[in-house]
């Protein structure tokens, strides 16, 4: 089984609050489709979302000159993308120092939740290896925190190039990442229910994830 320092969060409070607000596809996406003469197709799917962010990035930026920082972050992005895609994740976007990936779009696997957890663990291992090189070449290292959540999202039709996902499950994954300790992987209840037979996770106190749209 998969055994790692993973914490599972009781996100039921946040999820109940979030039911009143459903996100939709970006207006710009609809405009692009209209210009192309396409019909917007929204698909509701259950997927697993992973967010990871660099901690201490401000200090890192202060220690390195802009060119060195760009090299370090490029190596980081490449290593994280490789780890995610190796387990079937689709990198949705990089937002500053953060990465968002989705498991279940465009291709659904029965074990998408487990794939996401394994990817998160693989990201930490890849980062440990990368940090050896970063320390040697630039005297710097990177730490991350990770949030993983499973739930329903609204997605564009990937067959016409619209794969953006939105919804409460995405918001909760982002908040889990922001709540996680440095180096930790914090997973939501629904994710844990799908992987509990093969993943060892430590419970946390119920979380009230504020600031969700």
């Amino acid at each position: 089984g998969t055994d790692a320092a993973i914490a599972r969060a009781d996100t039921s409070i946040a999820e109940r609050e979030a039911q009143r607000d459903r996100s939709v596809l970006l207006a710009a996406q609809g405009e692009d489709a209209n210009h192309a003469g396409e019909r917007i197709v929204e698909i509701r799917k259950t997927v697993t979302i992973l967010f990871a962010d660099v901690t201490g990035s401000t200090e890192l930026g202060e220690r390195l000159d802009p060119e060195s920082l760009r090299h370090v972050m490029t190596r980081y992005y490449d290593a994280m993308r490789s780890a995610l895609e190796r387990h079937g994740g689709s990198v949705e976007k990089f937002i500053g120092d953060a990465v968002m990936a989705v498991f279940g779009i465009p291709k659904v696997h029965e074990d998408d939740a487990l794939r996401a957890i394994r990817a998160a663990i693989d990201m930490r291992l890849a980062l440990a290896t990368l940090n050896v090189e970063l320390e040697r070449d630039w005297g710097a290292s990177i730490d991350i925190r990770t949030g993983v959540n499973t739930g329903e999202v609204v997605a564009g039709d990937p067959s016409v190039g619209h794969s953006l996902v939105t919804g409460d499950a995405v918001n909760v994954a982002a908040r889990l990442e922001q709540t996680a300790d440095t180096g930790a992987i914090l997973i939501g209840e629904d994710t844990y229910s799908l992987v509990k037979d093969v993943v060892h996770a430590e419970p946390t106190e119920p979380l009230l994830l504020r600031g969700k749209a």
Side-chain angles (χ1 to χ4, degrees):
T2 300
D3 191 351
I6 299 171
R8 55 186 175 94
D10 179 357
T11 56
S12 57
I13 298 175
E15 289 167 351
R16 285 198 300 271
E17 288 182 348
Q19 292 305 313
R20 66 181 184 273
D21 186 22
R22 288 288 182 182
S23 299
V24 295
L25 295 179
L26 292 178
Q29 195 174 22
E31 291 173 2
D32 291 342
N34 288 336
H35 289 317
E38 300 170 353
R39 180 173 61 89
I40 295 294
V41 178
E42 292 184 348
I43 303 171
R44 289 188 177 272
K45 301 185 69 173
T46 297
V47 302
T48 298
I49 305 103
L50 179 152
F51 272 92
D53 198 5
V54 173
T55 59
S57 57
T58 300
E59 180 182 351
L60 187 66
E62 292 173 348
R63 291 179 55 192
L64 300 177
D65 62 75
E67 184 178 357
S68 296
L69 181 61
R70 182 177 63 83
H71 282 297
V72 167
M73 295 311 296
T74 296
R75 295 292 305 280
Y76 161 73
Y77 294 143
D78 289 345
M80 297 304 97
R81 181 185 292 276
S82 295
L84 289 162
E85 292 181 346
R86 188 157 50 244
H87 293 276
S90 297
V91 176
E92 189 84 357
K93 52 191 170 184
F94 287 101
I95 315 164
D97 302 326
V99 57
M100 171 187 172
V102 180
F103 293 77
I105 292 178
K107 186 176 181 180
V108 177
H109 303 89
E110 290 185 359
D111 61 343
D112 277 323
L114 182 57
R115 285 169 178 263
I117 298 300
R118 285 174 171 164
I121 295 170
D122 205 2
M123 289 166 69
R124 292 197 306 197
L125 295 174
L127 191 59
T129 300
L130 177 61
N131 275 335
V132 173
E133 299 178 19
L134 298 182
E135 287 279 7
R136 180 194 65 207
D137 297 337
W138 286 286
S141 62
I142 293 175
D143 292 314
I144 60 172
R145 60 190 181 197
T146 306
V148 181
N149 189 54
T150 302
E152 185 182 71
V153 299
V154 176
D157 185 353
S159 68
V160 293
H162 299 155
S163 59
L164 177 70
V165 299
T166 56
D168 300 324
V170 178
N171 299 332
V172 171
R175 297 300 179 261
L176 288 172
E177 175 267 304
Q178 293 165 5
T179 305
D181 293 332
T182 297
I185 302 168
L186 188 57
I187 67 176
E189 271 192 309
D190 289 342
T191 302
Y192 177 69
S193 68
L194 294 170
V195 302
K196 61 184 179 182
D197 292 336
V198 290
V199 170
H200 171 70
E202 300 175 354
T204 67
E205 294 296 323
L207 301 177
L208 180 58
L209 306 181
R210 299 185 183 278
K212 288 168 35 48

